[in-house]
Amino acid sequence: METRQQGFLDSEPLREADEHTTSDVNLSNSIMTEEEREELQLELTRLEDEISTLKQVLASKEKRHGELRHKLGITALGELRGNLSRGWLDMQSSTAYKRTSETLSSAGQKTTAALSTLGSAINRKFGDMRNSPSFRSFEEKVESTVSNIKTKVGSPGAGGSFEDVLSSTAKASSQDTPTHNLTDTPERLE
């Protein structure tokens, strides 16, 4: 076999030292003597025996490893939990996590402040609406209707059912209805 230096642009793939092509094997078989062949066969048998022994030793060690872990209470689930816990701590200590956490915290505070301001504005608007003349007029009508119903239903000589009292009160109330809408502002009424 000739030795040559592989360049970066060579298209021929690199081969392992023990990797042979069919022509190499045929060539070495025809040149090899019977004695060399027996020697190689013997070495191959020894290597296979060693591999078999190592596999048995490894299986025995793995079994003992499992027994010790079981005695110590180390389980796969416990290891997984530990790995996840370590991973979570590592992630929390990362710069990206800290930045993201700070950004989300800031966004949450700003959102809370905006919602608080919105709630205050809505509360103020309802207060303003409640103090408007239209709402007061509507509130007075509802109070008088409820009061009429209570007196008519509650009096012993009133007679009639609740539905009769309710419909008569509604008729009386509709005759006293103001001519402006609840949404009218004081400026539009003038």
Side-chain angles (χ1 to χ4, degrees), residues 72-109:
L72 290 172
I74 301 172
T75 62
L77 183 60
E79 260 190 73
L80 178 64
R81 218 178 284 140
N83 288 341
L84 288 175
S85 188
R86 275 190 302 277
W88 177 249
L89 290 174
D90 290 345
M91 186 185 71
Q92 283 181 325
S93 64
S94 73
T95 306
Y97 178 83
K98 287 177 181 175
R99 286 183 188 158
T100 304
S101 178
E102 290 168 1
T103 302
L104 290 176
S105 176
S106 174
Q109 290 170 353

Side-chain angles (χ1 to χ4, degrees), residues 25 32 41 47 52-53 78 81 87 91 105 120 124-125 144 156-157 159 190:
V25 172
M32 193 182 316
Q41 191 66 39
L47 282 174
S52 176
T53 304
R81 218 178 284 140
M91 186 185 71
S105 176
S120 297
R124 219 176 312 113
K125 274 294 184 191
S144 71
E190 293 174 354

Side-chain angles (χ1 to χ4, degrees), residues 115-131:
L115 290 176
S116 176
T117 303
L118 178 67
S120 297
I122 290 173
N123 199 11
R124 219 176 312 113
K125 274 294 184 191
F126 277 133
D128 292 347
M129 187 179 83
R130 188 174 218 182
N131 293 329

Side-chain angles (χ1 to χ4, degrees), residues 49-175:
D49 288 343
E50 282 181 37
I51 291 171
S52 176
T53 304
L54 289 173
K55 284 181 181 179
Q56 290 172 357
V57 168
L58 180 62
S60 170
K61 298 257 185 208
E62 284 177 340
K63 182 179 178 186
R64 180 68 179 148
H65 177 258
E67 291 170 355
L68 291 173
R69 290 175 62 86
H70 181 72
K71 284 181 181 179
L72 290 172
I74 301 172
T75 62
L77 183 60
E79 260 190 73
L80 178 64
R81 218 178 284 140
N83 288 341
L84 288 175
S85 188
R86 275 190 302 277
W88 177 249
L89 290 174
D90 290 345
M91 186 185 71
Q92 283 181 325
S93 64
S94 73
T95 306
Y97 178 83
K98 287 177 181 175
R99 286 183 188 158
T100 304
S101 178
E102 290 168 1
T103 302
L104 290 176
S105 176
S106 174
Q109 290 170 353
K110 289 177 182 177
T111 303
T112 300
L115 290 176
S116 176
T117 303
L118 178 67
S120 297
I122 290 173
N123 199 11
R124 219 176 312 113
K125 274 294 184 191
F126 277 133
D128 292 347
M129 187 179 83
R130 188 174 218 182
N131 293 329
S132 72
S134 300
F135 189 82
R136 289 202 182 269
S137 172
F138 174 73
E139 190 176 33
E140 289 169 2
K141 291 291 181 186
V142 169
E143 286 175 358
S144 71
T145 302
V146 169
S147 174
N148 285 339
I149 290 173
K150 284 181 180 177
T151 57
K152 288 185 180 181
V153 170
S155 63
S161 67
F162 178 75
E163 288 82 15
D164 294 338
V165 173
L166 187 61
S167 66
S168 70
T169 304
K171 285 180 189 174
S173 177
S174 67
Q175 293 170 356

